[in-house]
Amino acid sequence: MTIRLPGPGGSLRAYTPRAEPASFTTGAPLVSRTVFSAAHVVADPLAGAGAVDWDATLAFRRHLWAHGLGVAEAMDTAQRGMGLDWAGAAELIRRSTAEAKSAGGAIACGVGTDQLSGPATLAGVRAAYEEQLALVEGTGAQAILMASRALAAAASGPEDYLDVYGHLLRQAAEPVILHWLGPMFDPALEGYWGSPDLDAATETFLDVIAAHPDKVDGIKVSLLDARREVELRRRLPRGVRCYTGDDYNYPELIAGDEQGFSHALLGIFDPLGPLAAEAVRVLDTGDTAKFRELLDPTVELSRHLFETPTRFYKTGVVLLAWLAGHQSHFAMVGGLQSARPLPHLARAYELADGLGLFPDPALAETRMKSLLSVYGVDQ
C-alpha cells in the first residue's frame, strides 16, 4: 500500500510506509548521561484556543518517564510564549511535578518572566523571575532559568545580566540550569547576555557562572553551533554540566570527545524519546559506535523539523505525536498547527516513518491520509 505525498513544485509522489515499527523497550534508568526531553502540551480544541488537555498532556510525560528520560517542563517546546501563557504554564508545572512524584520521574521546570506585559524595568524583571522561581521550587522541581524577552529589552549591557542573574542565583535554594536560547528560536532574544557578538556574550555568560558555581547545576545551550558549544563546555567550572540543546548536532555532542561530553535537554527527544533512550543505554555500556549508529540517522528528521523559521518546530513535534497515537487530534494551543506548510508536514511523516517511530504504522498512515484530504490531496 502507498500514500501520495506532496513533493517539490506541487507534485505528488507515491511513498510506501513501513509495515512494522522499530522495537524499543523500556528499561533501567540512564547512567552515563543525564537526559531531559522538553515536552509539548496537548491542546483541548473543544475548550478554546489556549486550553490544555491535561489527561493527554500528562500521559505523554508518563510515556517519556517510562523510557528513562527526564522531562523538561514548561519550556519552549511547550509553546511557552507562543500560545501557552504564564497561567497555563504555572498549572502545567503544578500538575507535571505532582505526576513526576507519582511516577518516580525526573523533572525540571522553566522559570521565566512571561507574566509581564509591555515594557518592564529591571526590578520588574527580577520580581517576575522571583515569582516563578518560588513556584517551581515550591513544587520540589529543579529550576531552569530561561532566557527572558523582557530582560533582553530592558538590559542596557552585560552588567544588567550579571546583576539580575546574580540576584536570582543567590536566592535559589538548589542549583539551577541556566538556559541560553538563541534568536533562531526566539528573535526577541537577539543580543542576549548584553551583546550580539557571541564571543562577548559568552564571556558574560561564563562570568555569571564563575561568580556562583555552587548554584549552577549546568547550562543548556541552544545556539545550533556545535563548535561553540564544545568550546564553551571546556571552559565550565568543574562540576557544572553542559546540557546540549543543539537539535542539529546532538549525537556528536552527547558522544563527546577525549575532553568531555554534553548531557542533553532537547526538544527533538519529544518525538525521539524511546529511540533516544535506547541509544543512551547503549552508550552506557561504552559502545559509542553503536550509539552513533542508532542516533545519527535521526538527525535528518531533526534538522527538517527545526529548519528556518526554527521557532515553528513545535508544529512538527505535535504532528508526530498525533501520528504516533499519543493524542487524538492535530491541534495546538494558539492554532500553531498552521505554522508549517503541507509539504513540510508530509516530509516529517516520511522521515519519522522511515525511522520506525510510529508504534502503529497503519494508524499513522490513516491519520496522515486524513490530513492530506483536508488539503485536497486525494489518495
Side-chain angles (χ1 to χ4, degrees), residues 151-188:
L151 179 54
S156 59
E159 65 282 352
D160 289 335
Y161 289 88
L162 292 168
D163 177 67
V164 169
Y165 277 92
H167 181 82
L168 294 169
L169 290 171
R170 285 190 294 272
Q171 287 194 30
E174 300 291 341
V176 307
I177 297 172
L178 296 180
H179 186 190
W180 186 355
L181 191 69
M184 67 288 293
F185 289 93
D186 187 342

Side-chain angles (χ1 to χ4, degrees), residues 335-357:
L336 203 64
Q337 67 272 12
S338 64
R340 292 292 201 188
L342 183 62
H344 176 93
L345 302 178
R347 181 60 176 159
Y349 159 74
E350 181 179 1
L351 290 170
D353 179 74
L355 292 168
L357 296 182

